[in-house]
Amino acid sequence: MTVRTVEGSCSHVVVVGAGLAGLSAALQLAGRGRAVTVVERGTHPGGRVGRMDVDGYRLDTGPTVLTMPDIVEDAFAAVGESMADRLELMPVQPCYHASFADGSGLDVHSDPAAMAAEVERLAGAGQAEGYRRLRDWLTRLYRVEFDGFIAANFDSPLSLLTPQLARLAAIGGFRRWDRMVRRFISDERLRRVFTFQALYAGVPPQRALAVYAVIAYMDTVAGVYFPRGGMRAMPDALAAAASDAGVEFRYGRAVSSLERRGDRVTAVHTDTGERIAADAVVLTTELPDTYRLLGRTPRRVLRLRHAPSAVVAHVGCRAGQPAPAGAGHHTIVFGDSWDQTFRDIIDDGRVMGDPSLLVTRPTASDPSLAPPGRDLLYILAPAPNTVVGKVDWADSGRTYPQHMLDRVVDRLPHLGVDAELLHTVDPAGWERQGMAAGTPFALAHTFAQTGPFRPANIVRGIDNVVLAGSSTVPGVGVPTALLSGRLAADRITGVPAGHRNSQVVQT
């Protein structure tokens, strides 16, 4: 299979945005001999991997779950570096703890024997055997899917017509996520553990394609990690490696316009009055900003559908409280009305009537992220985005975070002693940060927004601009953002020898 690449000289590439996609693209391009300039409106790298310092607490305001470290390693390797020399990733054991409304709980382990033992303790030997078969299926799904679907560029839906597609269909990749999981396990609590990731995809598991169960593979099979120093340590390390490889970073500059000559962009202009000449440009901006800069309106039969949003509360509390076994770094507090959760936030546009929450305690892995004697909590509640939402966040934004904290303390009483709300953000807040539809999770992974049907990373009629980031291929998440940067680089240089993607040639 051949896919389009940028024609002509591409010796100097301007990357707009120093988020994970932009950093990945910059590293890949620098490693392939291109001169790279990264223009970033903020004062530091990271993009959605945000940060904030409050009264001695070091907050991660973006993603907190890190999986697939080999993809992070690939970004460093692009410039001949080793991740271990730049970044310390600590395995999170267990990956997380699931707390159910009936009072039961489950430690989720990436080790198959430890996880099977936990499943048997919770639900019996039959479910443990089902877990083993489910794990095997998830692993096969990932291996079939990665090269031909996740880490691949597409020019059209015809790009899907490959032997990998047939294998993916044969193992159930295009059936429904929830239905496939039910083939292996029947315990409702266990099914939640292997389908809650559908919230990241923005589609209920009953409607989501089973191909996205690969997210459950990343969480429950490949394992979860945490960078020493917090999630911000990852973009800092990537940016440092890029800088040492010759990439120029210009922080505190927003791109105001693109200068064009015919079908090519010849320069990037910033709000500080700079003109930066470019042979090619990688845009990692939010999709509305991208189309505004390009002067284009997307031609789509169906309206773009955004993923749900979230309310995030950062809480400081007293450390040293005795914690039950397994309640360490990540805890998922499941409500009783699980199916209603998706209807509330996706269909009805309201907050969850019976909340299910992600509680992250980064100080379980790195106590230096809070003042001495204190713990730091990150509490995330899925919420409707601002397109479908019927919530007045000017009012609810003041009360809902406390409601979230009360639910956590009720279910996890060892947390929240002497609690103080440090910072909160809701869908209206994400929207003020420039995120379309007030969601940090970009476009939902519906069938019409999957693979070649997702907004492409090339732009019709503009020959030397490539897109990267959550709103284009392959999608939302830390690993996929890094892959997005690599796919953008592949569009500019072609796939270098040794990479597993299909051969790319100029057309």
Side-chain angles (χ1 to χ4, degrees):
M1 181 183 71
T2 61
V3 297
R4 287 176 51 196
T5 61
V6 173
E7 297 179 347
S9 172
C10 292
S11 58
H12 179 224
V13 183
V14 176
V15 178
V16 179
L20 294 184
L23 293 170
S24 173
L27 285 161
Q28 296 289 343
L29 290 164
R32 303 175 195 181
R34 272 53 175 185
V36 182
T37 301
V38 178
V39 183
E40 166 57 45
R41 65 181 179 180
T43 57
H44 50 71
R48 295 188 184 193
V49 185
R51 64 187 72 183
M52 180 179 293
D53 295 332
V54 179
D55 297 333
Y57 295 92
R58 302 176 69 195
L59 279 54
D60 287 324
T61 59
T64 62
V65 179
L66 175 60
T67 62
M68 307 302 292
D70 56 317
I71 296 175
V72 185
E73 178 71 75
D74 181 69
F76 287 104
V79 292
E81 294 229 17
S82 170
M83 178 175 65
D85 294 334
R86 294 279 187 177
L87 182 68
E88 181 184 356
L89 292 187
M90 300 175 285
V92 175
Q93 299 289 354
C95 301
Y96 50 88
H97 178 78
S99 171
F100 302 107
D102 65 1
S104 62
L106 176 80
D107 287 344
V108 177
H109 297 278
S110 57
D111 177 77
M115 185 59 179
E118 266 292 277
V119 171
E120 182 168 353
R121 178 194 60 78
L122 179 74
Q127 295 296 288
E129 177 56 31
Y131 155 73
R132 294 186 185 95
R133 292 187 292 111
L134 173 60
R135 182 187 177 96
D136 289 343
W137 177 74
L138 289 171
T139 302
R140 292 200 313 274
L141 182 71
Y142 173 77
R143 290 173 178 168
V144 170
E145 188 177 341
F146 187 83
D147 281 343
F149 198 77
I150 300 176
N153 276 312
F154 300 99
D155 283 344
S156 76
L158 294 177
S159 303
L160 278 176
L161 299 180
T162 64
Q164 289 101 318
L165 176 70
R167 289 195 292 270
L168 191 57
I171 65 172
F174 296 104
R175 299 182 183 181
R176 298 304 177 191
W177 184 342
D178 182 70
R179 186 174 301 174
M180 287 302 299
V181 171
R182 286 174 183 267
R183 288 187 167 199
F184 303 101
I185 52 179
S186 59
D187 187 282
E188 182 185 0
R189 296 165 299 178
L190 292 176
R191 290 205 309 270
R192 294 185 187 185
V193 168
F194 292 99
T195 61
F196 81 87
Q197 300 89 350
L199 283 168
Y200 303 144
V203 184
Q206 295 85 356
R207 298 183 219 160
L209 293 176
V211 291
Y212 289 109
V214 73
I215 310 173
Y217 168 88
M218 295 176 181
D219 282 354
T220 66
V221 178
V224 176
Y225 296 80
F226 187 71
R228 189 173 299 280
M231 292 292 286
R232 69 176 73 182
M234 180 172 50
D236 285 351
L238 291 168
S243 181
D244 287 351
V247 174
E248 179 188 4
F249 285 86
R250 301 190 187 183
Y251 293 107
R253 296 161 172 86
V255 172
S256 55
S257 64
L258 301 177
E259 181 181 323
R260 286 175 57 183
R261 182 179 301 132
D263 293 335
R264 297 181 74 87
V265 170
T266 56
V268 169
H269 291 261
T270 72
D271 61 354
T272 57
E274 294 172 279
R275 177 186 183 274
I276 307 170
D279 298 315
V281 176
V282 177
L283 291 177
T284 71
T285 42
E286 290 283 327
L287 214 52
D289 292 333
T290 298
Y291 291 135
R292 176 182 56 78
L293 288 170
L294 295 173
R296 292 300 175 93
T297 300
R299 294 184 297 174
R300 290 181 64 89
V301 176
L302 299 176
R303 178 176 59 89
L304 289 173
R305 177 177 161 186
H306 290 83
S309 184
V311 179
V312 175
H314 300 270
V315 177
C317 59
R318 188 187 307 164
Q321 303 302 309
H329 194 111
H330 296 295
T331 302
I332 301 174
V333 177
F334 285 104
D336 190 39
S337 304
W338 178 236
D339 291 342
Q340 184 62 41
T341 290
F342 291 91
R343 288 193 290 270
D344 285 344
I345 63 176
I346 295 176
D347 299 330
D348 298 338
R350 62 188 184 189
V351 298
M352 296 175 287
D354 182 16
S356 291
L357 308 171
L358 169 65
V359 182
T360 294
R361 185 164 66 101
T363 40
S365 297
D366 187 349
S368 71
L369 300 176
R374 304 291 288 177
D375 258 340
L376 175 60
L377 305 180
Y378 168 108
I379 307 172
L380 182 149
N385 63 45
T386 56
V387 173
V388 302
K390 303 176 177 66
V391 182
D392 178 6
W393 290 110
D395 180 47
S396 297
R398 292 191 294 267
T399 59
Y400 193 63
Q402 185 61 51
H403 178 60
M404 293 161 55
L405 178 57
D406 292 343
R407 169 60 66 99
V408 170
V409 173
D410 180 59
R411 291 280 293 276
L412 306 172
H414 61 285
L415 299 179
V417 177
D418 190 21
E420 53 179 336
L421 279 171
L422 304 171
H423 175 70
T424 64
V425 62
D426 54 41
W430 298 120
E431 193 167 55
R432 286 192 294 272
Q433 293 180 36
M435 297 184 191
T439 174
F441 302 117
L443 300 179
H445 287 272
T446 61
F447 178 79
Q449 295 176 173
T450 292
F453 306 109
R454 200 167 180 83
N457 59 1
I458 51 175
V459 182
R460 293 183 183 276
I462 303 179
D463 293 340
N464 64 335
V465 171
V466 183
L467 310 187
S470 298
S471 293
T472 185
V473 291
V476 178
V478 170
T480 41
L482 292 166
L483 286 173
S484 177
R486 196 183 89 187
L487 292 176
D490 291 347
R491 287 288 194 182
I492 293 172
T493 70
V495 179
H499 269 227
R500 294 178 293 174
N501 300 71
S502 303
Q503 181 65 34
V504 180
V505 298
Q506 288 189 350
T507 59

